[in-house]
Every structure is written in C-alpha cells, then in structure tokens.
Amino acid sequence: MTDIDLLLRDNIRKLVPYASARDEFSGTANIFLDANENSLGSPIRDQYNRYPDPHQVKIKELVSGIKGVPARNIFLGNGSDECIDLLYRAFCNPGLDNTIINPPTYGMYEVSAHINNVEVRRAMLTADFQPDLEKMASLVDQHTKIIWICSPNNPTGNAFHHQIIEMILNNFDGLVVIDEAYINFSRQQSFIRELTEYPNLVVMQTLSKAWGLAGLRVGMAFASEAIVEVLNRIKPPYNIAQPTQELALKALAETDRVNEMIRDLVALRDKLAAEITQLPAVERVYPSDANFLLVKIDRAQEVYRQLLNRGIVVRDRSRVALCDDCLRITVGKKEENDALLSALRTME
Ligand SMILES: *Cc1c(COP(=O)(O)O)cnc(C)c1O
C-alpha cells in the first residue's frame, strides 16, 4: 500500500491552500458582495461577471455518471497538460526527484518535468512498442516518484498489454499515471475500473479527442481521494472558466452523439489503414488503438514535404527513435482521407 502523504513534497503537505470567496461561503444568498466581482455585469453576457464554480460540481456529477467513478475521485484540469504539471508540483522535489517515461511517447511528460526541474529517466519501448519492464526496474530508485504510461500511446498508436501495466502497478510504490487520452478508440479496457485497487494510480482522460473539444481545454484525472484532494489544494482556484464549464456540461449530455463519432472514426481509421497499407512506398501501417495511424514509408521527410505542398499537414515523426521513416497521420473526414490517399498515390 502506498501512503500518498509520504510521497508528497513537504511544502505541499504543509500547504495552507487559498480559500476563495466562493469556498468560504456556503448557504443561500442573492446579493453577492464577497468576491469583488463587477456588480453591474459585463459588456457581454451577464453571468460572466461572476467567478466560476472552483469545484466544477455539476461537471463532475455528469462525468461521474458516465464513467462510473464517484465525484470525489475526479479532478478536472485546464487540459491534461495542467494535470501533468500539478502532479509534478505536488510529488516531485525539484533537483532531487526523478520520473520515468517510455519513449517514444507524449512530449509533455518530459517538457513539464524540465519546467519543474525534475530529472527524466527514459525506458525506451521494446521493438513491439510495449513497456520494457526490466529497463524500468533498473531505473527506479528512492527518488522515483512518477511513472508515466501512455496507453494507447502517442505516437505509436498501440495500447499496452493490460498485464504489463498491472505488473508496473504491482511493483512500484510511487505514482503510476496512465494517460488514456485515446482510450475511447481502443479495444483495451480503461484502468478506471481498477482505481479502488491501487491508491497510487492516476488515470488521465480528456475532452480533447473522442469528445471533440480540444479547444475547450478540459482534462480529467481519476484517482484515490487522497490524490484528488492534493490536486484540488494546489490548483489555481478557478482553473476551469465559466464558458468552458457551460459548454462541457452541454457536451457531456451528448454521449450518444459522441459514441456515434467514435464508431465512425474507428471505421474511417480501419479503412484508411487498409488503403494506406496497399501503397507501394508504405512499409508498414502500425496497428492503431487511437484516432491516428503511424505509417512507416520510404523517404518519409520527402513525403511530408510533398503533402504539405498540396495543403495536407501530417506529423513528421521520422527523427524520433523507434519511429524512423514514420509519419503520424490523424484520421480525417472521409473527403480528407480520400484527398490524402490520392496525394500519396500520385507522389513522384
Ligand atoms: C492529445 C493528448 C492529450 C490531451 O491533452 P489535453 O491537454 O487534454 O488537450 C493528453 N495525452 C496525450 C498522450 C495526448 O496525445
């Protein structure tokens, strides 16, 4: 069992959090003179003169219903990127602690670690893009606080084997953060169902991918109450803006529409993968559990440039270790995929 208190930085354990006006007042009132808002209103819509709910109670209620996780186990961030930063700030002492990532993977784990002056240790994925347990074990020491597991992984597109992730959870006493940004496109089960078994597990999801709301900036972290409580204490009090909260509420009522988009995207992905595989220059389309494909192709950088000349931008990952000659291609609308395919077919 992990004692979250022992993992925390001293300054965070001792922190007296900011108490906002909205925190200190509970009850009913209709005249609000407690938060130095503009009582006359705003030049746009009236309600934006008020600070938003710092605890995002209504959103968490909906998320709780959708995910089957109690609201007290849900944290909302200004994108997953805020969750990543807050986890470092809570648990990793700058200049002392370290974190383990499994490259090639999402870049923010490393950038955010550097911003927080946290040492990054790299356990490259194996050739079949799975975590290298032995390598990871060799990197862990008493100052290793967080292991980042991105599954399905960006940019490789595959989900990691459930048993491999479970091995990590069972053998590491620090935090294990599983980033499930792409889980809705995957055949693999979410680790959300295993939160009750692992007090050191954090599962991150986001409204940016399957929910189609990258512009909104809402990231979700699911974890034990102890971890959620820490994140709540150190976050900026009003980290989710009022219009964002309103739009998120609207979107979360549309689960049927979202499920339909997920089905459509998965079908488009599988069709696109089958067609790209046919192209002579393509060496390999890696299996995808996400809404993008990693494609190994002759002269990847040249292909990237020629696509750009035709107004199609993909992600050049050809200089990333284990991804040599690879492009990462987001699944588009049918017309977009067709345009991509015809561009690829007519390339010199
Ligand atoms: C896109 C993506 C996210 C989403 O981040 P937000 O800040 O929530 O938009 C998180 N993790 C991974 C691996 C991603 O690819």
Side-chain angles (χ1 to χ4, degrees):
M1 286 285 279
T2 306
D3 189 338
I4 297 304
D5 240 31
L6 295 178
L7 280 178
L8 275 180
R9 289 170 63 186
D10 280 337
N11 60 313
I12 301 298
R13 193 182 310 110
K14 293 180 196 143
L15 181 75
V16 179
Y18 176 75
S20 69
R22 289 291 172 271
D23 272 325
E24 295 209 323
F25 165 77
S26 68
T28 51
N30 49 22
I31 299 178
F32 288 95
L33 306 177
D34 59 342
N36 296 350
E37 295 147 333
N38 187 328
S39 301
L40 301 187
S42 65
I44 42 170
R45 272 174 66 183
D46 262 354
Q47 75 229 61
Y48 295 148
N49 62 333
R50 299 295 176 190
Y51 281 104
D53 174 9
H55 307 296
Q56 306 108 16
V57 171
K58 287 186 187 152
I59 304 177
K60 286 178 186 170
E61 236 167 66
L62 280 189
V63 171
S64 170
I66 293 166
K67 302 290 175 183
V69 174
R72 61 179 183 279
N73 297 110
I74 303 171
F75 174 81
L76 299 177
N78 187 335
S80 307
D81 293 342
E82 183 177 45
C83 303
I84 295 169
D85 177 66
L86 290 175
L87 286 164
Y88 280 126
R89 286 205 267 157
F91 294 98
C92 297
N93 290 289
L96 178 67
D97 289 330
N98 66 73
T99 186
I100 294 178
I101 63 170
N102 299 267
T105 192
Y106 187 46
M108 279 310 289
Y109 314 137
E110 178 153 2
V111 172
S112 194
H114 291 323
I115 291 169
N116 287 289
N117 194 20
V118 173
E119 182 200 343
V120 175
R121 298 186 175 181
R122 293 173 194 79
M124 289 294 292
L125 295 177
T126 57
D128 58 347
F129 294 154
Q130 294 292 326
D132 184 338
L133 290 177
E134 267 179 44
K135 177 71 185 170
M136 291 173 85
S138 76
L139 295 178
V140 172
D141 66 16
Q142 67 196 38
H143 294 296
T144 307
K145 294 293 178 63
I146 305 179
I147 293 179
W148 299 92
I149 303 290
C150 186
S151 181
N153 187 42
N154 178 5
T156 58
N158 64 303
F160 299 154
H161 298 310
H162 208 85
Q163 317 87 278
I164 293 186
I165 298 178
E166 257 168 2
M167 286 283 282
I168 298 166
L169 279 163
N170 285 321
N171 289 288
F172 179 60
D173 289 331
L175 288 196
V176 177
V177 185
I178 307 178
D179 184 347
E180 296 187 337
Y182 300 99
I183 194 68
N184 303 95
F185 306 108
S186 176
R187 288 158 287 250
Q188 291 274 355
Q189 298 262 4
S190 168
F191 268 85
I192 260 189
R193 293 142 37 104
E194 290 172 57
L195 280 172
T196 46
E197 295 195 32
Y198 300 104
N200 60 332
L201 168 62
V202 179
V203 175
M204 290 200 309
Q205 294 186 6
T206 178
L207 296 191
S208 295
K209 305 288 155 68
W211 288 87
L213 293 167
L216 220 51
R217 311 309 304 134
V218 179
M220 304 173 276
F222 304 92
S224 59
E225 255 184 283
I227 295 174
V228 168
E229 200 256 339
V230 169
L231 296 176
N232 278 327
R233 284 199 306 143
I234 68 173
K235 79 181 179 79
Y238 304 111
N239 63 329
I240 311 284
Q242 180 65 23
T244 302
Q245 294 202 31
E246 289 166 15
L247 292 168
L249 275 178
K250 257 189 170 170
L252 289 163
E254 301 290 338
T255 47
D256 288 348
R257 174 78 195 105
V258 171
N259 284 329
E260 195 181 306
M261 284 201 292
I262 293 166
R263 277 195 299 276
D264 291 349
L265 279 168
V266 167
L268 286 164
R269 173 192 76 198
D270 293 347
K271 181 156 179 290
L272 183 63
E275 302 201 46
I276 292 183
T277 307
Q278 303 293 317
L279 300 170
V282 169
E283 194 176 318
R284 186 144 192 220
V285 177
Y286 290 93
S288 174
D289 284 282
N291 65 339
F292 60 85
L293 298 170
L294 188 71
V295 178
K296 196 175 182 95
I297 188 165
D298 295 341
R299 301 180 305 135
Q301 291 177 33
E302 178 57 25
V303 172
Y304 173 84
R305 268 191 297 274
Q306 290 201 32
L307 285 175
L308 252 193
N309 284 339
R310 300 183 199 200
I312 301 172
V313 56
V314 298
R315 199 86 197 265
D316 179 5
R317 300 281 78 180
S318 62
R319 275 155 295 203
V320 172
L322 288 186
C323 296
D324 39 308
D325 296 320
C326 285
L327 301 177
R328 192 194 70 190
I329 303 175
T330 306
V331 176
K333 298 199 257 281
K334 181 172 184 309
E335 311 83 76
E336 295 172 331
N337 298 338
D338 290 345
L340 169 77
L341 284 164
S342 77
L344 287 170
R345 284 187 188 115
T346 56
M347 215 149 264
E348 310 90 60

